[in-house]
Amino acid sequence: MINRILTSGILREPAVLAVCALAFALPLLVTLYLASTLVDLQYTRNWQSVADRLVLWGDETIERADAIIRQRLSAYPQGCPSSYSNELAGTVFANENVSALGIVRNGKVICAHRQLRAESLLVPEIAGIPADKTVVAFTPKDATYRMPAIVVARRLDADAVGVALIEPKYFLLPLGFIPEGSRLKAALLGPNGEVYAGDTSLAGANRPGLAKTTSHRHLAIATSTRFPISIAVRSDAQDDRLHWHQALPYALAAGLLLGLSSSFLIAISLLHSRSIPAQLKTALSRREFHIEYLPTIDLSSGRCVGAEALIRWDHPDHGLMQPDTFIPIAESSGLILPITEWILSTVAIDLQKISGLALPADFHIGVNIASQTLSDEIIPITQRIFDARKVALSRVMFELSERGLIDHAEEPVRESIKRLRQLGVRIALDDFGTGSSNLAYLQSFDIDYLKIEKQFIATLGTESVSSGLVKIIAEMGKYLNVTVIAEGIENAKQLELVKSLDIQEGQGWHFSTPLRFGAFKVWLEQRIASHPCTRPGQRAPV
């Protein structure tokens, strides 16, 4: 197939080349975009997870500091023994998250494990601590305070407050949370966006409405629901490129595969659509078409009163092709008229071959006719073919699809139908029920038969809405005084249901499958023998 595409020359056409290039590029670009988006999403989720875990770590750190205040300081709100400072030092040493402990009473440090400046502890947030409550505050970052810290304070009595200091860097201590080899940056942020520890480029990241000053793609922010702390996490541009470069080979391979597959399928489709019209032109001369006949049965007597001629294409490469795969192409490429002429010629020859059988007087062969061929040209063609074989035009029935007739309902088409009927050609409206015809519309055409689409017959005996439509069409046929033919009768139950609606004729595999002419002639002879006419050439009374 690849060789056929390359040697066909189709890729040398600019329009075809552009379509194939687009079919290649579009899946590739979409795949790369989706891969980039998925990588972003994956790592954004990873960074958010890191930020959430660091906030959880911070909450636990503050809780441990509060527990130390309650356990070690609440017993000495009035002051502690001088020797107690050594115990406090031991407590601080054993709890690395706490850098200092002390009791402040009326603005003075009365108990501490080391010298502490009271003003470094009495930040405004802890001035009015309610009884038995914990307050967390940040010391301001200015010259008054030697070192920024997080203050955890709990009221011990009306005048005394227990205080624990935590170094901000401790909140970013658990490096195990950060993926190995990552250039991840993190920062502990105060309520106003100040960076107390970590990457200073993340300043203000937690302030609503404040533009981020970082130039990274992945930013995650987590804020504690219990304490006034926020953690911002970001990856730098180099880290982003690393992640994308790791995913790029897989995304590129998938995109290339999809792009090549898409362009290959487009090329095959174009080659196929381009080649079928060319092959149709030679199929007639190569005798690649053949006709199969689907018998039509009079449901009241069981006699065969006709057949439908169905064209088939014995394609040398694709095998047996049904008409719905090539007739639309023939119609659009202007080849439908010569194919129709061949069908009519073949039907005329076959009718001549069975003319010696005891056929009913109204025996006919139905030929599917495209509505756009109903011009002045089809009439002399039909006359010439049947006159040459000395076959009466009353032996042929033109089957026009309901949809095709609606699409080509111009006055010349109506005139052609009228002239054909005057010559004896029978007219049937095929696949009735699939279009949007109404009674007034049908009355505007001269027709002899209504053929009910097989999909409606299949619903008989069910609760489907289409089941009731069959009865309506049968009644419409009586009103218009036309013969109704039910297509697709597949079993005895459907046959009985169709007969109960007084439908006159039927087709379907319950009677016979489509047959080539030789097999059809044998079948017809047997059917005539088992269901003979009252007199040769006469149809038995119903």
Side-chain angles (χ1 to χ4, degrees):
M1 182 58 71
I2 295 177
N3 186 55
R4 283 187 60 191
I5 293 174
L6 295 176
T7 57
S8 66
I10 191 172
L11 295 180
R12 288 194 291 270
E13 299 180 24
V16 174
L17 190 60
V19 170
C20 291
L22 182 62
F24 172 78
L26 191 59
L28 177 61
L29 294 176
V30 170
T31 302
L32 293 177
Y33 171 77
L34 291 177
S36 176
T37 302
L38 290 175
V39 168
D40 283 350
L41 181 62
Q42 175 187 349
Y43 283 98
T44 298
R45 288 177 176 175
N46 288 347
W47 307 155
Q48 188 63 54
S49 175
V50 170
D52 291 340
R53 295 175 69 183
L54 286 173
V55 164
L56 180 62
W57 169 267
D59 288 347
E60 294 173 350
T61 298
I62 293 172
E63 289 173 353
R64 286 194 295 270
D66 183 53
I68 291 173
I69 294 174
R70 286 186 281 105
Q71 295 169 6
R72 307 298 296 173
L73 301 180
S74 59
Y76 303 100
Q78 302 298 325
C80 54
S82 58
S83 61
Y84 193 64
S85 62
N86 293 329
E87 294 183 31
L88 292 181
T91 300
V92 171
F93 182 78
N95 295 273
E96 59 180 352
N97 58 308
V98 176
S99 60
L101 284 171
I103 299 174
V104 177
R105 188 176 186 82
N106 295 326
K108 295 181 179 180
V109 177
I110 62 172
C111 183
H113 85 285
R114 67 181 185 183
Q115 291 294 326
L116 288 177
R117 295 171 59 192
E119 63 269 20
S120 68
L121 303 178
L122 296 180
V123 293
E125 287 85 352
I126 68 173
I129 301 176
D132 201 34
K133 294 293 182 179
T134 301
V135 169
V136 177
F138 288 84
T139 59
K141 297 182 67 177
D142 57 34
T144 305
Y145 302 93
R146 293 175 298 175
M147 176 181 170
I150 294 178
V151 181
V152 180
R154 171 177 283 273
R155 183 161 297 283
L156 303 179
D157 63 17
D159 300 316
V161 175
V163 177
L165 272 72
I166 305 174
E167 293 187 24
K169 64 180 182 180
Y170 188 77
F171 285 79
L172 304 179
L173 185 62
L175 298 179
F177 288 167
I178 301 177
E180 184 178 356
S182 173
R183 296 177 179 84
L184 196 68
K185 304 299 181 182
L188 171 66
L189 304 177
N192 296 318
E194 310 96 323
V195 174
Y196 278 84
D199 194 328
T200 57
S201 67
L202 288 168
N206 63 334
R207 291 176 61 183
L210 184 66
K212 308 294 188 298
T213 58
T214 54
S215 59
H216 51 277
R217 291 166 64 191
H218 303 124
L219 171 65
I221 300 172
T223 300
S224 172
T225 58
R226 302 175 58 196
F227 306 112
I229 62 171
S230 296
I231 298 292
V233 175
R234 74 172 179 87
S235 60
D236 61 20
Q238 188 174 357
D239 209 27
D240 292 340
R241 287 194 296 270
L242 176 62
H243 297 147
W244 172 234
H245 289 163
Q246 290 173 345
L248 181 60
Y250 303 100
L252 192 59
L256 288 173
L257 181 61
L258 289 174
L260 288 172
S261 300
S262 177
S263 58
F264 180 67
L265 291 175
I266 291 292
I268 290 177
S269 177
L270 291 172
L271 180 63
H272 185 65
S273 63
R274 293 290 186 85
S275 62
I276 285 184
Q279 294 173 52
L280 282 171
K281 292 179 180 179
T282 59
L284 289 172
S285 60
R286 293 177 180 176
R287 298 183 179 180
E288 294 175 0
F289 294 119
H290 74 267
I291 297 294
E292 294 180 0
Y293 292 96
L294 181 65
T296 302
I297 303 298
D298 181 278
L299 300 183
S300 61
S301 65
R303 289 178 292 105
C304 180
V305 292
E308 180 179 358
L310 304 172
I311 187 172
R312 301 290 187 262
W313 186 1
D314 296 308
H315 196 281
D317 295 327
H318 306 297
L320 185 64
M321 295 180 64
Q322 300 297 320
D324 56 352
T325 61
F326 62 88
I327 289 298
I329 298 176
E331 292 177 355
S332 62
S333 60
L335 297 173
I336 191 63
L337 187 58
I339 292 177
T340 301
E341 185 175 352
W342 177 86
I343 295 174
L344 290 172
S345 179
T346 303
V347 167
I349 293 172
D350 292 342
L351 279 170
Q352 187 182 44
K353 291 178 180 178
I354 60 173
S355 60
L357 301 180
L359 300 174
D362 57 354
F363 184 91
H364 56 270
I365 298 296
V367 177
N368 290 281
I369 300 293
S371 297
Q372 63 262 42
T373 63
L374 286 177
S375 59
D376 293 337
E377 194 172 0
I378 193 67
I379 297 175
I381 289 176
T382 305
Q383 286 182 297
R384 172 176 52 80
I385 290 173
F386 280 80
D387 288 347
R389 295 294 173 181
K390 295 182 172 54
V391 177
L393 284 174
S394 60
R395 291 295 193 189
V396 67
M397 178 174 73
F398 280 8
E399 299 189 12
L400 311 173
S401 72
E402 181 186 10
R403 291 176 180 173
L405 203 58
I406 292 173
D407 294 338
H408 300 84
E410 299 86 356
E411 190 59 31
V413 172
R414 298 176 188 270
E415 285 299 319
S416 294
I417 292 176
K418 184 177 180 179
R419 289 182 59 192
L420 286 168
R421 292 189 77 245
Q422 290 172 348
L423 293 172
V425 177
R426 304 167 192 267
I427 303 296
L429 193 57
D430 196 13
D431 297 334
F432 188 73
T434 59
S436 55
S437 299
N438 54 39
L439 186 60
Y441 183 83
L442 289 177
Q443 288 177 317
S444 68
F445 287 97
D446 293 325
I447 60 173
D448 303 288
Y449 294 85
L450 278 180
K451 299 189 72 174
I452 305 177
E453 165 66 23
K454 62 182 179 181
Q455 70 185 43
F456 300 120
I457 301 300
T459 65
L460 287 177
T462 69
E463 296 181 358
S464 171
V465 176
S466 300
S467 178
L469 184 60
V470 177
K471 183 177 181 181
I472 294 174
I473 297 174
E475 293 296 329
M476 190 181 297
K478 292 179 182 178
Y479 179 82
L480 295 173
N481 194 29
V482 300
T483 301
V484 179
I485 303 175
E487 297 181 298
I489 300 175
E490 308 295 338
N491 51 60
K493 180 180 179 181
Q494 289 180 349
L495 174 60
E496 292 305 314
L497 291 171
V498 168
K499 291 172 68 175
S500 69
L501 298 175
D502 293 329
I503 294 175
Q504 298 96 322
E505 297 178 4
Q507 293 176 327
W509 285 20
H510 178 68
F511 306 110
S512 173
T513 60
L515 303 169
R516 292 209 180 196
F517 176 72
F520 172 67
K521 185 172 182 292
V522 172
W523 181 92
L524 183 59
E525 290 171 344
Q526 295 173 349
R527 192 75 181 187
I528 291 173
S530 61
H531 299 80
C533 296
T534 304
R535 297 193 308 273
Q538 295 291 326
R539 182 173 181 176
V542 177

